[in-house]
């Protein structure tokens, strides 16, 4: 990973975000912290919201969706114990911000988004910033991306009542998945490991994500 810092007018705000919102709350993984210093989060929000990009909350990105709060992103990435050789599946590309972080930390990122406009926005931003080791596909993320399976790690950025079985099937033995599980009002982050072909589930903190939608685009 190239940890050279990106210099832009938001650089100081980004460093403040990392120290006060992440490190101060217990995020310690150097790879995650450095990736979050490096990725220009303001490039992944609508232009009118750039000034708010480093605030301690989610922000709207269009289509009724949100870019997740920095802390929850960091917590999910840290718990996945990502390696530089990992091939990762992301469900819910949204803005592409997490895709960028994964692209810096890991070897290959495959990301599925059901909204065509969001996928196009994310792809444009990632190309502009010269990320190369990612692919985005428009489709139903509950089905994963069989062509590139098995994955070392899977990150689901939308909440589901039950972990989608196809995703578990595309995880390698010993692989890890982070997924918010539960109804819209009451979700918990689950860390699922595949051990001897079976899921081993650890329940982490409560969280609040937009739903992982069932059905084709624009149905919900
Ligand atoms: N990591 C993103 C989070 C976006 S919010 C970011 O920080 O910007 C969750 C995303 O999941 C939304 O973009 C939503 O459109 C997408 N999504 C919801 N259901 C989906 C499904 N079944 N398949 C693929 N993407 C889905």
């Amino acid at each position: 990973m190239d940890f050279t810092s990106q210099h832009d007018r938001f650089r100081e705000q980004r460093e403040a975000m990392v120290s006060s919102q992440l490190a101060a709350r217990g995020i310690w993984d150097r790879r995650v912290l450095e990736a979050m210093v490096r990725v220009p989060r303001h490039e992944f929000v609508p232009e009118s919201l750039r000034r708010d990009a480093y605030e301690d909350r989610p922000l709207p990105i269009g289509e009724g969706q949100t870019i997740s709060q920095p802390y929850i992103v960091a917590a999910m990435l840290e718990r996945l114990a990502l390696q530089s050789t990992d091939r990762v599946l992301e469900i819910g590309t949204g803005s592409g911000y997490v895709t960028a972080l994964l692209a810096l930390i890991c070897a290959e990122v495959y990301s599925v988004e059901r909204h065509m406009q969001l996928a196009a926005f994310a792809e444009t931003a990632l190309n502009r910033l010269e990320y190369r080791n990612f692919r985005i596909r428009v489709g139903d993320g509950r089905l994963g991306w069989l062509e590139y399976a098995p994955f070392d790690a899977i990150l689901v950025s939308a909440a589901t009542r039950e972990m989608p079985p196809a995703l578990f099937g595309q995880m390698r033995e010993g692989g890890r998945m982070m997924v918010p599980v539960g109804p819209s009002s009451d979700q918990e982050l689950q860390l699922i490991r595949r051990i001897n072909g079976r899921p081993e589930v650890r329940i982490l903190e409560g969280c609040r994500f937009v739903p992982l939608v069932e059905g084709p685009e624009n149905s919900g």
Side-chain angles (χ1 to χ4, degrees):
M1 174 181 356
D2 175 7
F3 278 138
T4 322
S5 294
Q6 167 110 12
H7 284 282
D8 54 64
R9 66 200 169 98
F10 291 101
R11 164 81 202 203
E12 280 180 20
Q13 283 187 45
R14 201 154 57 241
E15 286 178 344
M17 168 190 89
V18 168
S19 57
S20 69
Q21 297 175 36
L22 310 183
R25 290 185 192 143
I27 302 294
W28 53 268
D29 186 328
R30 182 187 139 265
R31 303 166 55 78
V32 172
L33 294 172
E34 292 191 358
M36 289 182 80
V37 167
R38 182 155 167 72
V39 174
R41 184 171 159 92
H42 62 276
E43 301 265 1
F44 294 91
V45 302
E47 282 212 45
S48 58
L49 292 177
R50 285 195 166 177
R51 270 176 301 147
D52 303 332
Y54 297 97
E55 289 190 6
D56 189 14
R57 58 185 170 96
L59 294 172
I61 53 171
E63 312 293 340
Q65 306 302 321
T66 56
I67 179 171
S68 309
Q69 179 195 16
Y71 174 76
I72 197 77
V73 171
M76 290 174 93
L77 293 174
E78 181 169 271
R79 257 72 167 272
L80 277 172
L82 298 166
Q83 305 295 312
S84 59
T85 51
D86 279 352
R87 175 212 283 269
V88 183
L89 175 67
E90 176 188 32
I91 305 304
T93 319
S95 65
Y97 175 63
V98 176
T99 320
L101 295 167
L102 289 169
L104 275 183
I105 297 170
C106 305
E108 293 168 37
V109 188
Y110 298 89
S111 189
V112 185
E113 168 57 53
R114 68 186 283 278
H115 273 291
M116 199 145 51
Q117 292 87 339
L118 290 176
F121 174 90
E123 181 123 36
T124 303
L126 289 158
N127 285 332
R128 187 171 64 236
L129 294 163
E130 301 186 345
Y131 291 94
R132 298 274 178 257
N133 53 334
F134 73 93
R135 277 183 197 220
I136 294 174
R137 177 169 79 79
V138 176
D140 184 354
R142 291 172 309 142
L143 305 177
W145 198 337
L146 191 55
E147 191 183 348
Y148 295 105
F151 299 98
D152 300 293
I154 301 179
L155 193 162
V156 184
S157 291
T160 167
R161 298 245 172 194
E162 275 168 37
M163 186 253 291
L167 296 184
F168 187 73
Q170 292 177 22
M171 190 155 75
R172 76 158 166 81
E173 175 64 21
R176 299 87 62 199
M177 179 180 344
M178 188 60 78
V179 54
V181 177
S184 60
S185 53
D186 181 27
Q187 305 157 8
E188 59 193 25
L189 266 185
Q190 293 190 356
L191 174 61
I192 299 172
R193 300 193 51 163
R194 184 178 176 124
I195 309 288
N196 298 323
R198 295 234 171 75
E200 186 192 273
V201 180
R202 266 184 62 195
I203 294 172
L204 309 172
E205 67 248 50
C207 59
R208 192 146 190 195
F209 280 81
V210 297
L212 185 69
V213 176
E214 303 187 16
E217 188 182 359
N218 300 330
S219 70

